Amino acid sequence: MMEPQNKIPQATAKRLPLYYRFLNNLHFQGKMRVSSKELSEAVKVDSATIRRDFSYFGALGRKGYGYNVDYLLEFFRKTLNQDKATDVALIGVGNLGTAFLHYNFTKNNNTRIVKAFDSNPDLVGKQIGEVTVKPIDELASDLTDIEAAILTVPGSVAQTITDSLVKVGIKGILNFTPARITVPADVRVHHIDLSVELQSLVYFMEHYPINKK
Ligand code: ATP
């Protein structure tokens, strides 16, 4: 088994969770091998890209055989740190935050939301999914051992909350607010703006229709 390298290109790294999820399903179905064509159809990435991605993992598919599912899974587990569960905090238990608390992430990967915070006294103390909502004032004292956070507060308070998160040592933020947040260089932010994504989808549907042959 090749050791996971640090130098996988970012574009490849982004596809890892996608590959991982699909291969995990295959594994549970008892499948031992998969062709790049099958993979390609399932994850919607062209097979040349898959072959190039996998070559970074030391997984060279064999003609007529494809890829060994368990080898790849073992590699992904190491690379994606799946041996170690990652605890995540959620800030803002509105509609979106509540949905995330009900969503069982552990089914597909090893991240789980273990703490949730909100400023609304009506929500504090409520159990949603597996988590009891805590008051936002306790963020600083309570978030000492968690490195990743999901931000589902209104955009107007996103930066203030981000600053508090940075202060307690959060190193990664999944930002679902429309606000562009500023963080120090050692903190990673991934931004998912659902309304922008939707608008962009509609724009592309209109202006770049897919010609099905
Ligand atoms: P969404 O669907 O975007 O989650 P929503 O309409 O349910 O939104 P928002 O007004 O976006 O509600 O607020 C999301 C959550 O963030 C609410 O539960 C709100 O109480 C909480 N919130 C607002 N301000 C703060 C704050 N300063 N600190 C912590 N939580 C906050």
Side-chain angles (χ1 to χ4, degrees):
M1 163 71 47
M2 194 175 113
E3 282 308 306
Q5 340 170 337
N6 294 324
K7 280 293 153 228
I8 294 172
Q10 286 202 22
T12 301
K14 280 204 161 177
R15 287 187 286 269
L16 284 185
L18 205 64
Y19 294 145
Y20 179 73
R21 189 166 57 187
F22 180 68
L23 286 159
N24 221 4
N25 289 341
L26 289 181
H27 172 77
F28 281 114
Q29 290 163 18
K31 284 211 167 182
M32 306 292 282
R33 58 193 198 179
V34 61
S35 68
S36 47
K37 187 164 172 279
E38 262 177 285
L39 258 167
S40 168
E41 280 162 12
V43 298
K44 305 270 187 276
V45 173
D46 66 89
S47 44
T49 303
I50 289 182
R51 279 194 291 274
R52 201 186 45 223
D53 283 353
F54 281 21
S55 70
Y56 292 115
F57 318 149
L60 303 168
R62 276 181 281 144
K63 257 211 153 38
Y65 178 87
Y67 296 96
N68 182 298
V69 171
D70 286 342
Y71 175 93
L72 284 170
L73 267 183
E74 178 61 19
F75 179 85
F76 290 150
R77 219 171 268 137
K78 282 193 180 172
T79 309
L80 292 166
N81 243 342
Q82 291 296 306
D83 293 334
K84 170 176 144 264
T86 303
D87 291 345
V88 179
L90 179 126
I91 325 296
V93 192
N95 288 313
L96 200 52
T98 301
F100 289 154
L101 289 179
H102 285 299
Y103 185 78
N104 185 6
F105 290 96
T106 47
K107 209 170 41 181
N108 294 320
N109 63 48
N110 248 7
T111 56
R112 55 175 181 209
I113 301 174
V114 294
K115 284 181 182 168
F117 298 86
D118 203 288
S119 60
N120 181 346
D122 294 339
L123 287 171
V124 170
K126 257 187 145 179
Q127 183 173 346
I128 300 178
E130 315 235 297
V131 173
T132 303
V133 181
K134 299 186 173 204
I136 191 73
D137 310 338
E138 287 180 14
L139 191 115
S141 55
D142 204 346
L143 261 200
T144 46
D145 51 349
I146 293 182
E147 295 205 323
I150 298 174
L151 205 56
T152 40
V153 290
S156 54
V157 297
Q159 188 62 53
T160 315
I161 302 279
T162 297
D163 295 344
S164 316
L165 289 172
V166 168
K167 230 185 231 164
V168 294
I170 289 284
K171 292 290 175 234
I173 297 175
L174 191 55
N175 176 19
F176 280 92
T177 82
R180 298 278 157 175
I181 51 180
T182 307
V183 292
D186 64 339
V187 177
R188 175 172 281 276
V189 174
H190 284 198
H191 188 211
I192 303 178
D193 187 325
L194 293 178
S195 59
V196 166
E197 293 297 331
L198 196 54
Q199 203 177 16
S200 148
L201 171 72
V202 172
Y203 178 85
F204 274 84
M205 284 162 67
E206 257 175 44
H207 297 273
Y208 300 89
I210 296 169
N211 296 315
K212 278 235 159 179
K213 280 175 218 134

